[in-house]
Each structure stands twice: as structure tokens, then as C-alpha cells.
Amino acid sequence: MSVATKASYLSSTTCPTRTVVVLGGSYGGSRAAQVLAEGLPQGWRVVLIDRNSALLLSNCEEDSFFILDFYNFSRYAVLPGHEHKAFIPYKNFPSCSLSDISSCSSHVRVQATIISIDSHRITLSPNLPGSQQSHLDLDFDYAIYALGSHLPQPIDLWNHQKGVKSSLELPTISMYGGTKSEGISSLQGRQKSIEAAKSVLVVGGGALGIQFASDIAAVYPQKHVTLLHSRRRLLPKFDDAMHEETLQGLQELNVQVILGERLDFESLQHKSAMPGSSEPRVVRTLFGREISADLLASFSRLTRDRLLCTGQTPNTGLLRNMDPRTVSPDTGLAHVLRTMQLCVPPPPIEPLEFQTDDILQWLMNLTFDTEEGIELPELLASSLSIAHADIPSGSPVSSTGTLIEPYPSQKTLYPNIFVVGDAADAFDAIKAGHTSYYQAEVAARNILRLISRDEKVGITDGGNLDSELEEYAPGPPAIKVTLGMTKSVYEVDGVVDTKNDGVEDLGVAVMWAACGMRDVSEEEMFA
């Protein structure tokens, strides 16, 4: 019995149909669910699971020509009047209650919190506080894990960043339980905190930190805004010109930019002003530089030993609990094959070193045909080429004469679980909405291939899916970052340039249209 057939048997013992679960309903998850719903054969269903009642527009695919991202949450946490646009209702999938999910045979969406995942089962919990409904186990045949990453504290509605607290951080914001009304209230609370502050320190010079700092400076030009970044360059994964244009744009907005310095953790614990004082508080960098600020907006992860300028934190705790080997202890990202299947990486293989004495001994032990007339000195002169000739063609040799054994064709212990988006260690692909979107398409199409292969049925798109699984290859880095309300800088195919055609809500109607709500009015966006 194949893995997929076995998984189908497990699912069919408790559910009327076979099940593909999509965990997470943002860019990657929504796209995966759409591809699957359009291509699954009869007898299969998609169950889309997300703890939010609406798609959270943390970033926006603003321009179909550039296919790039703007970070809407950072804008809407600063600029009042647009926060309701960040929550797009799910229109493509009918809602189903947690208690009815096992008996529903059609494609459905469930609002619930995922408690755990195993190779063929997930455990769900209702979102509603005080709910009497118990946890529910749901068996599945295939899963796409699209839970992304935890947003930085200034725009994290769920408040994942626990532990370190500073007197400069955003005050307590209203509780968020996954509904649109709660999300709107949470963003409005952040807007009021920023409006009340005279000076703001933004820690972390990635795209989120840059846009947050520039938005504050543009909306409140009288405020003193400081951007602190631990590296010498902004946006280091991109062309040098991106750094130069971004730095210039920030300086035009009078943002003080400090590069190459880290925040001193200990200075966060000290209050430099008396309670009730209007004086700003002071923190320090590890170089001793003092920075005055009323409010700290950290787009980095604070830890006691260092400040990790990684911005968003991969949401891979469920996978780590299932099998710690599937998640990198260094990055927190899930290991995947190019098919986007979750995997346990093979242990590192030690290279084989060829020593001169070993080669000489090997040559001395050879028996040669005297009629060939081959002398030992000739063999010694060509020993390296002889040694290399014995190496299989698939085994590269380094410049130091080291034999590098190739990895065998990688298999996976979890062929039915796919990981896409910010949670995946996807071969240096940048973390962005459009990246997750394309990875989700690869994962969904591969699930359709596996189902077709194991069930020997046609696929509704014409049955022309190849039996070989599709492999994901990231495209060249591309990004677009706002620098205030109208200006932006972008890099596409190695070309860096600026634009000055921005709008306050970041052209959010484009994403509403992509989610099935075309020509939506301002009033309809409140729904």
C-alpha cells in the first residue's frame, strides 16, 4: 500500500470523503486551496483552516506588473481611516463550524486554532474564549502547511512576542481573537499610541521597519523618528542601489538612520524619566550611543544575549513538536525538498581527503602489464588525473583535491505534508506574499499529481498532469518598499528605480479583487 493510499484509508475511516487540509488562509494557503478545489477529483475535499475570520492583508500585491509587496499592516497601524481594509472576507469557501467538519463532504473553511499536527492528523481548538466545545481531531490524506511567520510586535495582532518588555514598547492593545472588529480596534489602538508619542525608535531596518519609520515620519513630520539597524546596509539581500535610494528617501523624511549598531538589551530595563514625567526615555546601543524615544517599535526579535534582526519569526512550532528534525534549530525554518514536501535532511557527509602517501601506496600496489611499457614516473605524473578518472561523474572534486560525495536522491518521511511561504527554508527565496503564492501553486499541483498517480483517475484540468513532481526554483529577488505616502523604491530583474505614484491605502482594491470582490466600494470594505 502506497503512502498516499494508506493516508486515504486513514482519512476515509472517519470522514465521508478524502481530505486535503490547508493550514493557514493567507496568500499561500488561499492560493493552494483554490488550486486544489479546482483540480481535485470527486470524493475529495479541501478543508481550509485559519484562526482569523478574514484574510489578514499584512502585505499587498500592489502592482500586477511588478508582482511585489507593500506591508499594509505597518501603514494601517500608523495612518487612521484605512484599517478596515486590511481584513478581506473569505468568499470562495463556505464556512463550517468545528463540530460539523467531520460530516461535511464539500470544500469548506473552518475558523479554529491548530493545536498539533501529526503525519496524518491535526488537532483543532475553537477560537471563542470560554467555549465549551472540546478539541477535535481531524484525519487528513495530504496537508499544506502555510502558517507563515509571526509578525513583529508593532503589527502582531496575536501578540506572539512574549517575555521581554520595555517601558518604551507599545502599551497594551485591545485583545484580538480573530474577528475583523477586534482587528480594527487593535490597529486603532496602535494608531493612538503612535500619535501620542513625540519620538519613536524603530529597531530593525528590513522592509517592514523602513516602511513603518517612513510612514510615521510622513504622517507626523513633527515627530523625531529614529531607525536603528544592526547592519551597515539596508536591505542587504538586494542591490547596493536599493540601500542608497532607501537611505536617501528616509533622510528626505528627516528620519535619523543609525547603521551598524545593536540595541543594548540592558538599557531597555531602565527608566530614565520619573513616573508622570514628559521627558523622553533613553536607551543605548552596544557602542554606547544614547537614543531618546517615547516609543519603541521593534521589528526584531529581542533576546537576552543579542538582538536578532530577523524581523518575522517562522511559525513552525507545530512541526518542531511533531518532529524536531524537520525544523532548523538555527533559523526556525522547515526543511523542504524542491517539491515543497517536508523533509528530514540527511546528516552531513564528511568529505574524503586524498593524501599523497595514500595515492603512492595505491600506485605501488598496482600490477601493470609490462608489454604496455608504462613506467612508474609516468604514472606518478598523471596520478591526479588517474585518481579523478576513478571518481564517478556525479561526484565533484573541490579545488583542493577533496572528493565531495553527492547526496543521494532525497526521499522524505513526510511525502504527504508540504510547507510553503515564510515557514519554509525554500532555497534562499525571499519572504514575501508573491513567493508564498508561487510555492503554494507548486505544492498544490504536486498533491494533484500524487492523487492522480495513486488513484489512476483523471484530473479535472484535463488529466495532463505529469507523473513527475514539479520542483520549485525561486526567481530573482524582487521587492518594492514605500518611503512615505507616495514614494517607493523597487528592484525587479536587477533594475533599481523609484516611483512617486503611491496612494494612502496602498491600492488595496487590487487584493480585494484578487480575493473575488471586484469593484468593491469603501462601504463594502467595512463588512
Side-chain angles (χ1 to χ4, degrees), residues 454-473:
D454 285 340
E455 296 203 342
K456 299 295 188 290
V457 299
I459 302 296
T460 57
D461 70 353
N464 58 354
L465 289 173
D466 203 90
S467 60
E468 291 299 320
L469 296 187
E470 182 178 347
E471 294 189 343
Y472 171 76

Side-chain angles (χ1 to χ4, degrees), residues 181-202:
S181 60
E182 292 167 332
I184 290 173
S185 297
S186 184
L187 287 176
Q188 289 173 340
R190 286 164 167 79
Q191 295 165 5
K192 293 175 182 177
S193 298
I194 293 167
E195 182 182 15
K198 294 180 181 179
S199 54
V200 180
L201 169 61
V202 179

Side-chain angles (χ1 to χ4, degrees), residues 12 162 509:
S12 61
K162 311 290 185 183

